[in-house]
Structures are given as C-alpha cells and as structure tokens.
Amino acid sequence: MDNSSTQMKAVTIPEFGEAEVLRAATMPIPEPGPGQVAIDVAYAGANFAEVLYRRGVVDVPLPFVPGIEVTGRIRAVGEGVEDLTVGQPVAALTIVGSGGYAEVAVTSSDLVAPLGGFGIGMDVAAALPSNSTTAFLVLDRVARIEPGESVLVHAAAGGVGSQLGQAAHLLGAGRVVGTVGRANKIETAKRFGYDEVILRDQIADAGEFDVVVDMVGGPARRASLDRLAPMGRLVVMGNASGAEDIGVPANELWFTNKSVSGFNLAAFAAAFPKATGQALRRAVAAAATGDLRVQVETLPLEQAVEAHRRIESGTTTGKLVLEVAAL
C-alpha cells in the first residue's frame, strides 16, 4: 500500500458472536514503538485462536483486529531495532497484540523471521509462525522430548497437528501416531510425517506414549492421560471440542509418575519473545529445506467469514491463509 497513506483496510470484530460479525473497516495505520516493526501485510494465517477471540472466549477490547501471524515486508522500524530493514520480506507472529487481518500490522522485532534467501513463497510462509513455531516449542521446551520417545498427537490433520508429527521426527522421536475425528482425514494426516493415523475413538488400543499433545479436550483428554507411559507427559494446548474441562487428580499423577503441562503461544510469546522468535526462525529454515511441509489454501481477506466457518466446521486440513495484498 502507499506509504504516504494514513488509513488502512482491515477486518474487525465489532461485537462477539458467530462468523458473520466480522466486518470490513477502515482505520488508522499503526506505528511501531521501541523494539517493534510495522509490516505491510501480504498474507495472514487464519487460526482457531481468532475464532476464540471472535466468540468472546478471550477478553479483548472491541472493535478488535484479529490475526496472530503474517507475512509481508517491513514498512517501518521502531527505536532500537537494528537487525531488520525497511522493505525486507519477513514472517512474523502478531499474536501478542493481534492485528494481522489488516494491511499493516505491528509486532515485536523479536517475533520476526527474515525470509530473504529461503525461497519460500509468502503464502506458504504465512502458515509457519503460529503452527510450526508451536510444534517446536511444545515438543522441545514443554514436553522436553528425548530421542526415540513415542508421541501421540490429536487433530493430526489440522494446522498445528500437521506440523507436530513432522517436528517430532525432526527432534528425534521414535513412533509418532496421530488421531483424527473423521475417517476421510486419515490419508491427509499420513502425509504429514505420522507413522500411524487412527480415529480418535480407537485410542484405547494404541498402546502407551511418552508424550501426548492434546488440543481437542473432552473425552480425548482423559483418554490421553490413560495412554501415558510411566514418566509420560501430557501437553494441553487447546479445547477445540468445546467440551467441559476435565479434572486431573494430583494424586493420580503422584501414584503413576505422569505429568500434565499447558502451553499457550500468546502467553509464551509475551513472556519469552526471544525464545519464540528462535523457534520461528527454526521453522522457516526447516520449511526451506523441505524437512517441514505445510499444506496451504488461500482465500482473499474479504472471505474471512468463510475461513472462520470452515475452521469451526472441523472439515479443514492443513492451513487456511488470507491474502491481504500481493506484494
């Protein structure tokens, strides 16, 4: 967009509700503060996190511009930013303050990964900041996976699930199994590095695992705990089923030598921006070599409502990306 302009196009959440509440709007272009950069957005990833913002599950001020990840070119740099330059192509997490569904987004320079020289299209790279970064952080920093360990991942055909299976093997895992909710997703999930893919209701027959990653919740959470081997770790990072919370008795963990941890990318990125940025750059490098594959489908920003409907339907595989501007 024109750098002399003071206004930009965006998609906003003016009120909480169903997908139809999303509205196109014109608003002032944000400026970067100290340690921040402004990015002319080319593509914005569409994620379940943005659905939660829209539903009001996460308390955000209205009107609110969703969008936790983008690709584009650096528009301006704030005070103290020395390693990024205007015009540089980048992928970035905008998850701390959101704002990716817009022509310009602002984020911490620590949460930015340069794309120059990697040969990755900006549409593909827009699928990396949230899901791929999460996959490395969950397995490496939270589960502390060891070489040869077994891993079970729920929602294996989804955006983050498609990355967790591949990241597990890159980090040295042995057996890696994914679960899906529908039989027509099994073959899709198998293409993302899983040794086996099963229906979620077959988990009782899947054996034991050192690490289980659950973003589904409900009955899958209780079943996941039951499938942990001694010293096994369950990582909770979502509740896509919308089910009531599942309590885990502390005494059960004590007697069985199991542990449960939580991971929230927004909270982690706010507390540990440098570590988050390192994981993002690791993901970009892995995607560039072909070690990490993403499946992307692109919709124009004007179809954000459709993107949200499809995410909520549970029928998507891989990643939906919104085209904001062809840079």
Side-chain angles (χ1 to χ4, degrees), residues 120-173:
I120 306 174
M122 284 196 179
D123 55 342
V124 173
L128 300 173
S130 173
N131 294 337
S132 306
T133 300
T134 291
F136 282 114
L137 289 173
V138 162
L139 293 169
D140 192 18
R141 295 290 296 263
V142 184
R144 300 183 185 277
I145 189 171
E146 295 287 340
E149 287 192 317
S150 56
V151 178
L152 177 71
V153 176
H154 291 300
V160 68
S162 70
Q163 302 301 285
L164 279 159
Q166 298 176 83
H169 279 304
L170 289 175
L171 293 169

mmCIF file of all heavy atoms in Angstrom, residues 120-173:
data_model
loop_
_atom_site.group_PDB
_atom_site.id
_atom_site.type_symbol
_atom_site.label_atom_id
_atom_site.label_comp_id
_atom_site.label_asym_id
_atom_site.label_seq_id
_atom_site.Cartn_x
_atom_site.Cartn_y
_atom_site.Cartn_z
ATOM 1 N N ILE A 120 10.981 -19.304 -0.043
ATOM 2 C CA ILE A 120 9.636 -19.705 0.383
ATOM 3 C C ILE A 120 8.646 -18.619 -0.026
ATOM 4 O O ILE A 120 8.867 -17.436 0.250
ATOM 5 C CB ILE A 120 9.563 -19.889 1.917
ATOM 6 C CG1 ILE A 120 10.635 -20.855 2.400
ATOM 7 C CG2 ILE A 120 8.179 -20.391 2.329
ATOM 8 C CD1 ILE A 120 10.709 -20.965 3.903
ATOM 9 N N GLY A 121 7.551 -18.998 -0.661
ATOM 10 C CA GLY A 121 6.519 -18.036 -1.010
ATOM 11 C C GLY A 121 5.879 -17.450 0.232
ATOM 12 O O GLY A 121 5.777 -18.116 1.272
ATOM 13 N N MET A 122 5.441 -16.201 0.130
ATOM 14 C CA MET A 122 4.848 -15.561 1.304
ATOM 15 C C MET A 122 3.550 -16.229 1.728
ATOM 16 O O MET A 122 3.190 -16.190 2.910
ATOM 17 C CB MET A 122 4.621 -14.073 1.042
ATOM 18 C CG MET A 122 5.883 -13.241 1.093
ATOM 19 S SD MET A 122 5.535 -11.481 1.245
ATOM 20 C CE MET A 122 7.204 -10.822 1.321
ATOM 21 N N ASP A 123 2.831 -16.843 0.800
ATOM 22 C CA ASP A 123 1.616 -17.560 1.184
ATOM 23 C C ASP A 123 1.951 -18.772 2.041
ATOM 24 O O ASP A 123 1.324 -19.019 3.075
ATOM 25 C CB ASP A 123 0.814 -17.961 -0.056
ATOM 26 C CG ASP A 123 1.622 -18.767 -1.068
ATOM 27 O OD1 ASP A 123 2.874 -18.751 -1.005
ATOM 28 O OD2 ASP A 123 0.993 -19.421 -1.928
ATOM 29 N N VAL A 124 2.958 -19.534 1.630
ATOM 30 C CA VAL A 124 3.380 -20.705 2.403
ATOM 31 C C VAL A 124 3.973 -20.288 3.742
ATOM 32 O O VAL A 124 3.678 -20.875 4.793
ATOM 33 C CB VAL A 124 4.388 -21.542 1.599
ATOM 34 C CG1 VAL A 124 4.966 -22.671 2.454
ATOM 35 C CG2 VAL A 124 3.727 -22.109 0.345
ATOM 36 N N ALA A 125 4.807 -19.259 3.718
ATOM 37 C CA ALA A 125 5.453 -18.804 4.951
ATOM 38 C C ALA A 125 4.443 -18.301 5.972
ATOM 39 O O ALA A 125 4.694 -18.353 7.181
ATOM 40 C CB ALA A 125 6.468 -17.704 4.636
ATOM 41 N N ALA A 126 3.277 -17.828 5.507
ATOM 42 C CA ALA A 126 2.255 -17.343 6.442
ATOM 43 C C ALA A 126 1.667 -18.459 7.285
ATOM 44 O O ALA A 126 1.013 -18.201 8.294
ATOM 45 C CB ALA A 126 1.149 -16.625 5.681
ATOM 46 N N ALA A 127 1.896 -19.702 6.894
ATOM 47 C CA ALA A 127 1.403 -20.846 7.657
ATOM 48 C C ALA A 127 2.375 -21.282 8.746
ATOM 49 O O ALA A 127 2.063 -22.184 9.523
ATOM 50 C CB ALA A 127 1.129 -22.016 6.720
ATOM 51 N N LEU A 128 3.548 -20.663 8.819
ATOM 52 C CA LEU A 128 4.597 -21.121 9.730
ATOM 53 C C LEU A 128 4.606 -20.473 11.122
ATOM 54 O O LEU A 128 4.860 -21.172 12.110
ATOM 55 C CB LEU A 128 5.973 -20.905 9.088
ATOM 56 C CG LEU A 128 6.240 -21.634 7.768
ATOM 57 C CD1 LEU A 128 7.585 -21.186 7.180
ATOM 58 C CD2 LEU A 128 6.229 -23.141 7.979
ATOM 59 N N PRO A 129 4.376 -19.160 11.252
ATOM 60 C CA PRO A 129 4.624 -18.518 12.548
ATOM 61 C C PRO A 129 3.852 -19.110 13.726
ATOM 62 O O PRO A 129 4.413 -19.282 14.809
ATOM 63 C CB PRO A 129 4.231 -17.064 12.299
ATOM 64 C CG PRO A 129 4.466 -16.866 10.841
ATOM 65 C CD PRO A 129 4.059 -18.160 10.210
ATOM 66 N N SER A 130 2.590 -19.436 13.544
ATOM 67 C CA SER A 130 1.810 -19.970 14.669
ATOM 68 C C SER A 130 2.001 -21.472 14.831
ATOM 69 O O SER A 130 2.530 -21.943 15.839
ATOM 70 C CB SER A 130 0.330 -19.643 14.476
ATOM 71 O OG SER A 130 -0.452 -20.280 15.467
ATOM 72 N N ASN A 131 1.584 -22.245 13.842
ATOM 73 C CA ASN A 131 1.557 -23.698 13.996
ATOM 74 C C ASN A 131 2.932 -24.341 14.075
ATOM 75 O O ASN A 131 3.186 -25.195 14.929
ATOM 76 C CB ASN A 131 0.777 -24.321 12.833
ATOM 77 C CG ASN A 131 -0.684 -23.946 12.865
ATOM 78 O OD1 ASN A 131 -1.224 -23.592 13.908
ATOM 79 N ND2 ASN A 131 -1.335 -24.018 11.715
ATOM 80 N N SER A 132 3.838 -23.965 13.182
ATOM 81 C CA SER A 132 5.154 -24.602 13.155
ATOM 82 C C SER A 132 5.989 -24.189 14.363
ATOM 83 O O SER A 132 6.697 -25.010 14.962
ATOM 84 C CB SER A 132 5.872 -24.253 11.848
ATOM 85 O OG SER A 132 5.069 -24.576 10.733
ATOM 86 N N THR A 133 5.908 -22.920 14.727
ATOM 87 C CA THR A 133 6.603 -22.447 15.925
ATOM 88 C C THR A 133 6.086 -23.171 17.150
ATOM 89 O O THR A 133 6.858 -23.618 18.013
ATOM 90 C CB THR A 133 6.410 -20.930 16.080
ATOM 91 O OG1 THR A 133 6.938 -20.269 14.935
ATOM 92 C CG2 THR A 133 7.113 -20.407 17.328
ATOM 93 N N THR A 134 4.764 -23.295 17.244
ATOM 94 C CA THR A 134 4.157 -24.021 18.363
ATOM 95 C C THR A 134 4.656 -25.453 18.426
ATOM 96 O O THR A 134 4.971 -25.968 19.507
ATOM 97 C CB THR A 134 2.622 -24.018 18.225
ATOM 98 O OG1 THR A 134 2.136 -22.693 18.430
ATOM 99 C CG2 THR A 134 1.971 -24.944 19.234
ATOM 100 N N ALA A 135 4.738 -26.117 17.279
ATOM 101 C CA ALA A 135 5.165 -27.517 17.266
ATOM 102 C C ALA A 135 6.550 -27.691 17.882
ATOM 103 O O ALA A 135 6.767 -28.582 18.720
ATOM 104 C CB ALA A 135 5.153 -28.041 15.829
ATOM 105 N N PHE A 136 7.493 -26.848 17.494
ATOM 106 C CA PHE A 136 8.840 -26.953 18.058
ATOM 107 C C PHE A 136 8.862 -26.604 19.544
ATOM 108 O O PHE A 136 9.521 -27.280 20.347
ATOM 109 C CB PHE A 136 9.809 -26.057 17.286
ATOM 110 C CG PHE A 136 10.258 -26.644 15.972
ATOM 111 C CD1 PHE A 136 9.901 -26.051 14.772
ATOM 112 C CD2 PHE A 136 11.034 -27.785 15.931
ATOM 113 C CE1 PHE A 136 10.304 -26.586 13.558
ATOM 114 C CE2 PHE A 136 11.456 -28.338 14.728
ATOM 115 C CZ PHE A 136 11.080 -27.738 13.538
ATOM 116 N N LEU A 137 8.144 -25.562 19.933
ATOM 117 C CA LEU A 137 8.146 -25.157 21.341
ATOM 118 C C LEU A 137 7.490 -26.205 22.228
ATOM 119 O O LEU A 137 8.000 -26.526 23.311
ATOM 120 C CB LEU A 137 7.433 -23.811 21.503
ATOM 121 C CG LEU A 137 8.169 -22.585 20.958
ATOM 122 C CD1 LEU A 137 7.277 -21.352 21.037
ATOM 123 C CD2 LEU A 137 9.469 -22.340 21.729
ATOM 124 N N VAL A 138 6.360 -26.736 21.802
ATOM 125 C CA VAL A 138 5.641 -27.728 22.609
ATOM 126 C C VAL A 138 6.496 -28.969 22.841
ATOM 127 O O VAL A 138 6.604 -29.471 23.965
ATOM 128 C CB VAL A 138 4.309 -28.105 21.927
ATOM 129 C CG1 VAL A 138 3.763 -29.419 22.477
ATOM 130 C CG2 VAL A 138 3.288 -27.005 22.129
ATOM 131 N N LEU A 139 7.101 -29.473 21.782
ATOM 132 C CA LEU A 139 7.855 -30.713 21.906
ATOM 133 C C LEU A 139 9.215 -30.517 22.568
ATOM 134 O O LEU A 139 9.658 -31.359 23.359
ATOM 135 C CB LEU A 139 8.030 -31.345 20.526
ATOM 136 C CG LEU A 139 6.735 -31.845 19.871
ATOM 137 C CD1 LEU A 139 6.979 -32.199 18.416
ATOM 138 C CD2 LEU A 139 6.172 -33.042 20.624
ATOM 139 N N ASP A 140 9.869 -29.415 22.253
ATOM 140 C CA ASP A 140 11.226 -29.178 22.750
ATOM 141 C C ASP A 140 11.228 -28.551 24.139
ATOM 142 O O ASP A 140 11.838 -29.074 25.079
ATOM 143 C CB ASP A 140 11.971 -28.289 21.758
ATOM 144 C CG ASP A 140 13.467 -28.231 22.038
ATOM 145 O OD1 ASP A 140 13.972 -29.122 22.756
ATOM 146 O OD2 ASP A 140 14.121 -27.313 21.537
ATOM 147 N N ARG A 141 10.518 -27.436 24.304
ATOM 148 C CA ARG A 141 10.566 -26.680 25.549
ATOM 149 C C ARG A 141 9.602 -27.195 26.621
ATOM 150 O O ARG A 141 9.895 -27.096 27.802
ATOM 151 C CB ARG A 141 10.253 -25.206 25.274
ATOM 152 C CG ARG A 141 11.280 -24.480 24.413
ATOM 153 C CD ARG A 141 12.579 -24.286 25.200
ATOM 154 N NE ARG A 141 12.389 -23.439 26.348
ATOM 155 C CZ ARG A 141 12.650 -22.128 26.385
ATOM 156 N NH1 ARG A 141 13.111 -21.532 25.307
ATOM 157 N NH2 ARG A 141 12.463 -21.424 27.485
ATOM 158 N N VAL A 142 8.444 -27.724 26.219
ATOM 159 C CA VAL A 142 7.450 -28.145 27.209
ATOM 160 C C VAL A 142 7.524 -29.650 27.469
ATOM 161 O O VAL A 142 7.716 -30.082 28.608
ATOM 162 C CB VAL A 142 6.031 -27.748 26.758
ATOM 163 C CG1 VAL A 142 5.010 -28.106 27.842
ATOM 164 C CG2 VAL A 142 5.957 -26.264 26.437
ATOM 165 N N ALA A 143 7.391 -30.457 26.430
ATOM 166 C CA ALA A 143 7.451 -31.911 26.615
ATOM 167 C C ALA A 143 8.878 -32.401 26.848
ATOM 168 O O ALA A 143 9.083 -33.482 27.388
ATOM 169 C CB ALA A 143 6.864 -32.619 25.401
ATOM 170 N N ARG A 144 9.861 -31.610 26.414
ATOM 171 C CA ARG A 144 11.283 -31.985 26.560
ATOM 172 C C ARG A 144 11.531 -33.390 25.999
ATOM 173 O O ARG A 144 12.081 -34.264 26.673
ATOM 174 C CB ARG A 144 11.725 -31.883 28.018
ATOM 175 C CG ARG A 144 11.570 -30.479 28.587
ATOM 176 C CD ARG A 144 12.078 -30.363 30.003
ATOM 177 N NE ARG A 144 11.816 -29.064 30.565
ATOM 178 C CZ ARG A 144 12.558 -27.981 30.381
ATOM 179 N NH1 ARG A 144 13.645 -28.067 29.630
ATOM 180 N NH2 ARG A 144 12.244 -26.825 30.942
ATOM 181 N N ILE A 145 11.139 -33.544 24.760
ATOM 182 C CA ILE A 145 11.215 -34.845 24.116
ATOM 183 C C ILE A 145 12.656 -35.341 24.044
ATOM 184 O O ILE A 145 13.592 -34.560 23.804
ATOM 185 C CB ILE A 145 10.579 -34.773 22.706
ATOM 186 C CG1 ILE A 145 10.445 -36.166 22.113
ATOM 187 C CG2 ILE A 145 11.355 -33.844 21.788
ATOM 188 C CD1 ILE A 145 9.632 -36.195 20.837
ATOM 189 N N GLU A 146 12.808 -36.643 24.249
ATOM 190 C CA GLU A 146 14.115 -37.293 24.166
ATOM 191 C C GLU A 146 14.156 -38.188 22.924
ATOM 192 O O GLU A 146 13.115 -38.689 22.474
ATOM 193 C CB GLU A 146 14.361 -38.146 25.409
ATOM 194 C CG GLU A 146 14.459 -37.360 26.709
ATOM 195 C CD GLU A 146 15.763 -36.588 26.824
ATOM 196 O OE1 GLU A 146 16.727 -36.942 26.104
ATOM 197 O OE2 GLU A 146 15.825 -35.645 27.622
ATOM 198 N N PRO A 147 15.356 -38.395 22.354
ATOM 199 C CA PRO A 147 15.459 -39.255 21.166
ATOM 200 C C PRO A 147 14.849 -40.625 21.410
ATOM 201 O O PRO A 147 15.054 -41.236 22.464
ATOM 202 C CB PRO A 147 16.972 -39.350 20.939
ATOM 203 C CG PRO A 147 17.514 -38.085 21.530
ATOM 204 C CD PRO A 147 16.654 -37.807 22.734
ATOM 205 N N GLY A 148 14.073 -41.086 20.423
ATOM 206 C CA GLY A 148 13.480 -42.408 20.496
ATOM 207 C C GLY A 148 12.137 -42.485 21.198
ATOM 208 O O GLY A 148 11.485 -43.535 21.169
ATOM 209 N N GLU A 149 11.702 -41.392 21.818
ATOM 210 C CA GLU A 149 10.437 -41.442 22.554
ATOM 211 C C GLU A 149 9.240 -41.501 21.602
ATOM 212 O O GLU A 149 9.309 -41.036 20.459
ATOM 213 C CB GLU A 149 10.310 -40.253 23.490
ATOM 214 C CG GLU A 149 11.209 -40.352 24.708
ATOM 215 C CD GLU A 149 10.885 -39.327 25.776
ATOM 216 O OE1 GLU A 149 10.643 -38.149 25.421
ATOM 217 O OE2 GLU A 149 10.872 -39.704 26.966
ATOM 218 N N SER A 150 8.145 -42.046 22.109
ATOM 219 C CA SER A 150 6.915 -42.167 21.324
ATOM 220 C C SER A 150 6.017 -40.962 21.585
ATOM 221 O O SER A 150 5.967 -40.425 22.688
ATOM 222 C CB SER A 150 6.184 -43.456 21.675
ATOM 223 O OG SER A 150 5.924 -43.509 23.082
ATOM 224 N N VAL A 151 5.293 -40.552 20.528
ATOM 225 C CA VAL A 151 4.479 -39.337 20.594
ATOM 226 C C VAL A 151 3.099 -39.615 20.001
ATOM 227 O O VAL A 151 2.987 -40.247 18.937
ATOM 228 C CB VAL A 151 5.146 -38.180 19.818
ATOM 229 C CG1 VAL A 151 4.274 -36.929 19.852
ATOM 230 C CG2 VAL A 151 6.532 -37.873 20.391
ATOM 231 N N LEU A 152 2.060 -39.129 20.666
ATOM 232 C CA LEU A 152 0.694 -39.180 20.148
ATOM 233 C C LEU A 152 0.186 -37.751 20.017
ATOM 234 O O LEU A 152 0.300 -36.956 20.955
ATOM 235 C CB LEU A 152 -0.226 -39.959 21.094
ATOM 236 C CG LEU A 152 -1.704 -40.012 20.700
ATOM 237 C CD1 LEU A 152 -1.899 -40.911 19.483
ATOM 238 C CD2 LEU A 152 -2.562 -40.507 21.862
ATOM 239 N N VAL A 153 -0.380 -37.426 18.854
ATOM 240 C CA VAL A 153 -0.876 -36.073 18.587
ATOM 241 C C VAL A 153 -2.331 -36.150 18.147
ATOM 242 O O VAL A 153 -2.656 -36.868 17.193
ATOM 243 C CB VAL A 153 -0.044 -35.375 17.487
ATOM 244 C CG1 VAL A 153 -0.635 -34.001 17.157
ATOM 245 C CG2 VAL A 153 1.410 -35.241 17.921
ATOM 246 N N HIS A 154 -3.200 -35.421 18.821
ATOM 247 C CA HIS A 154 -4.594 -35.346 18.401
ATOM 248 C C HIS A 154 -4.766 -34.300 17.297
ATOM 249 O O HIS A 154 -3.949 -33.399 17.152
ATOM 250 C CB HIS A 154 -5.478 -35.003 19.596
ATOM 251 C CG HIS A 154 -5.564 -36.102 20.614
ATOM 252 N ND1 HIS A 154 -6.044 -37.348 20.305
ATOM 253 C CD2 HIS A 154 -5.210 -36.145 21.924
ATOM 254 C CE1 HIS A 154 -5.996 -38.116 21.379
ATOM 255 N NE2 HIS A 154 -5.492 -37.407 22.372
ATOM 256 N N ALA A 155 -5.860 -34.422 16.539
ATOM 257 C CA ALA A 155 -6.164 -33.498 15.434
ATOM 258 C C ALA A 155 -4.984 -33.423 14.468
ATOM 259 O O ALA A 155 -4.522 -32.351 14.083
ATOM 260 C CB ALA A 155 -6.523 -32.117 15.963
ATOM 261 N N ALA A 156 -4.506 -34.584 14.062
ATOM 262 C CA ALA A 156 -3.266 -34.679 13.289
ATOM 263 C C ALA A 156 -3.351 -34.079 11.895
ATOM 264 O O ALA A 156 -2.320 -33.774 11.292
ATOM 265 C CB ALA A 156 -2.832 -36.145 13.192
ATOM 266 N N ALA A 157 -4.550 -33.905 11.356
ATOM 267 C CA ALA A 157 -4.688 -33.340 10.011
ATOM 268 C C ALA A 157 -4.884 -31.839 10.018
ATOM 269 O O ALA A 157 -4.925 -31.210 8.963
ATOM 270 C CB ALA A 157 -5.863 -33.995 9.278
ATOM 271 N N GLY A 158 -5.013 -31.247 11.190
ATOM 272 C CA GLY A 158 -5.237 -29.816 11.295
ATOM 273 C C GLY A 158 -3.964 -29.010 11.120
ATOM 274 O O GLY A 158 -2.884 -29.553 10.862
ATOM 275 N N GLY A 159 -4.086 -27.696 11.308
ATOM 276 C CA GLY A 159 -2.950 -26.815 11.084
ATOM 277 C C GLY A 159 -1.759 -27.133 11.959
ATOM 278 O O GLY A 159 -0.654 -27.409 11.472
ATOM 279 N N VAL A 160 -1.937 -27.124 13.279
ATOM 280 C CA VAL A 160 -0.812 -27.398 14.167
ATOM 281 C C VAL A 160 -0.516 -28.892 14.212
ATOM 282 O O VAL A 160 0.642 -29.304 14.316
ATOM 283 C CB VAL A 160 -1.066 -26.823 15.576
ATOM 284 C CG1 VAL A 160 -2.187 -27.539 16.292
ATOM 285 C CG2 VAL A 160 0.208 -26.868 16.410
ATOM 286 N N GLY A 161 -1.553 -29.727 14.104
ATOM 287 C CA GLY A 161 -1.329 -31.169 14.099
ATOM 288 C C GLY A 161 -0.466 -31.609 12.937
ATOM 289 O O GLY A 161 0.370 -32.511 13.074
ATOM 290 N N SER A 162 -0.646 -30.966 11.778
ATOM 291 C CA SER A 162 0.152 -31.319 10.605
ATOM 292 C C SER A 162 1.627 -31.006 10.805
ATOM 293 O O SER A 162 2.484 -31.582 10.130
ATOM 294 C CB SER A 162 -0.372 -30.583 9.371
ATOM 295 O OG SER A 162 -0.096 -29.188 9.451
ATOM 296 N N GLN A 163 1.926 -30.109 11.721
ATOM 297 C CA GLN A 163 3.318 -29.735 11.984
ATOM 298 C C GLN A 163 3.937 -30.539 13.121
ATOM 299 O O GLN A 163 5.141 -30.813 13.131
ATOM 300 C CB GLN A 163 3.402 -28.241 12.321
ATOM 301 C CG GLN A 163 2.857 -27.333 11.225
ATOM 302 C CD GLN A 163 3.584 -27.522 9.915
ATOM 303 O OE1 GLN A 163 4.717 -27.081 9.741
ATOM 304 N NE2 GLN A 163 2.947 -28.210 8.962
ATOM 305 N N LEU A 164 3.128 -30.947 14.075
ATOM 306 C CA LEU A 164 3.654 -31.658 15.247
ATOM 307 C C LEU A 164 4.263 -33.004 14.886
ATOM 308 O O LEU A 164 5.308 -33.379 15.428
ATOM 309 C CB LEU A 164 2.542 -31.842 16.277
ATOM 310 C CG LEU A 164 2.260 -30.621 17.159
ATOM 311 C CD1 LEU A 164 0.868 -30.703 17.770
ATOM 312 C CD2 LEU A 164 3.317 -30.500 18.250
ATOM 313 N N GLY A 165 3.634 -33.736 13.972
ATOM 314 C CA GLY A 165 4.187 -35.032 13.588
ATOM 315 C C GLY A 165 5.544 -34.899 12.930
ATOM 316 O O GLY A 165 6.472 -35.663 13.225
ATOM 317 N N GLN A 166 5.667 -33.911 12.062
ATOM 318 C CA GLN A 166 6.940 -33.689 11.378
ATOM 319 C C GLN A 166 8.008 -33.191 12.349
ATOM 320 O O GLN A 166 9.159 -33.649 12.325
ATOM 321 C CB GLN A 166 6.750 -32.672 10.253
ATOM 322 C CG GLN A 166 5.784 -33.138 9.169
ATOM 323 C CD GLN A 166 5.557 -32.072 8.120
ATOM 324 O OE1 GLN A 166 6.360 -31.924 7.192
ATOM 325 N NE2 GLN A 166 4.492 -31.296 8.263
ATOM 326 N N ALA A 167 7.638 -32.248 13.218
ATOM 327 C CA ALA A 167 8.599 -31.720 14.181
ATOM 328 C C ALA A 167 9.065 -32.803 15.141
ATOM 329 O O ALA A 167 10.238 -32.832 15.541
ATOM 330 C CB ALA A 167 7.972 -30.558 14.956
ATOM 331 N N ALA A 168 8.168 -33.711 15.505
ATOM 332 C CA ALA A 168 8.550 -34.799 16.415
ATOM 333 C C ALA A 168 9.669 -35.637 15.812
ATOM 334 O O ALA A 168 10.657 -35.971 16.478
ATOM 335 C CB ALA A 168 7.336 -35.668 16.732
ATOM 336 N N HIS A 169 9.548 -35.981 14.536
ATOM 337 C CA HIS A 169 10.607 -36.754 13.891
ATOM 338 C C HIS A 169 11.890 -35.939 13.765
ATOM 339 O O HIS A 169 12.994 -36.473 13.968
ATOM 340 C CB HIS A 169 10.145 -37.235 12.522
ATOM 341 C CG HIS A 169 9.288 -38.468 12.569
ATOM 342 N ND1 HIS A 169 9.699 -39.635 13.166
ATOM 343 C CD2 HIS A 169 8.032 -38.715 12.094
ATOM 344 C CE1 HIS A 169 8.756 -40.556 13.061
ATOM 345 N NE2 HIS A 169 7.719 -40.021 12.407
ATOM 346 N N LEU A 170 11.779 -34.649 13.459
ATOM 347 C CA LEU A 170 12.977 -33.809 13.365
ATOM 348 C C LEU A 170 13.705 -33.715 14.697
ATOM 349 O O LEU A 170 14.933 -33.562 14.739
ATOM 350 C CB LEU A 170 12.592 -32.393 12.895
ATOM 351 C CG LEU A 170 12.163 -32.268 11.427
ATOM 352 C CD1 LEU A 170 11.681 -30.844 11.135
ATOM 353 C CD2 LEU A 170 13.321 -32.635 10.497
ATOM 354 N N LEU A 171 12.963 -33.835 15.796
ATOM 355 C CA LEU A 171 13.560 -33.764 17.127
ATOM 356 C C LEU A 171 13.965 -35.137 17.658
ATOM 357 O O LEU A 171 14.350 -35.264 18.817
ATOM 358 C CB LEU A 171 12.591 -33.085 18.099
ATOM 359 C CG LEU A 171 12.333 -31.598 17.817
ATOM 360 C CD1 LEU A 171 11.169 -31.085 18.652
ATOM 361 C CD2 LEU A 171 13.591 -30.775 18.100
ATOM 362 N N GLY A 172 13.849 -36.160 16.814
ATOM 363 C CA GLY A 172 14.386 -37.470 17.175
ATOM 364 C C GLY A 172 13.403 -38.466 17.738
ATOM 365 O O GLY A 172 13.810 -39.502 18.287
ATOM 366 N N ALA A 173 12.106 -38.200 17.631
ATOM 367 C CA ALA A 173 11.121 -39.142 18.163
ATOM 368 C C ALA A 173 11.198 -40.479 17.451
ATOM 369 O O ALA A 173 11.655 -40.579 16.308
ATOM 370 C CB ALA A 173 9.712 -38.566 18.030
#
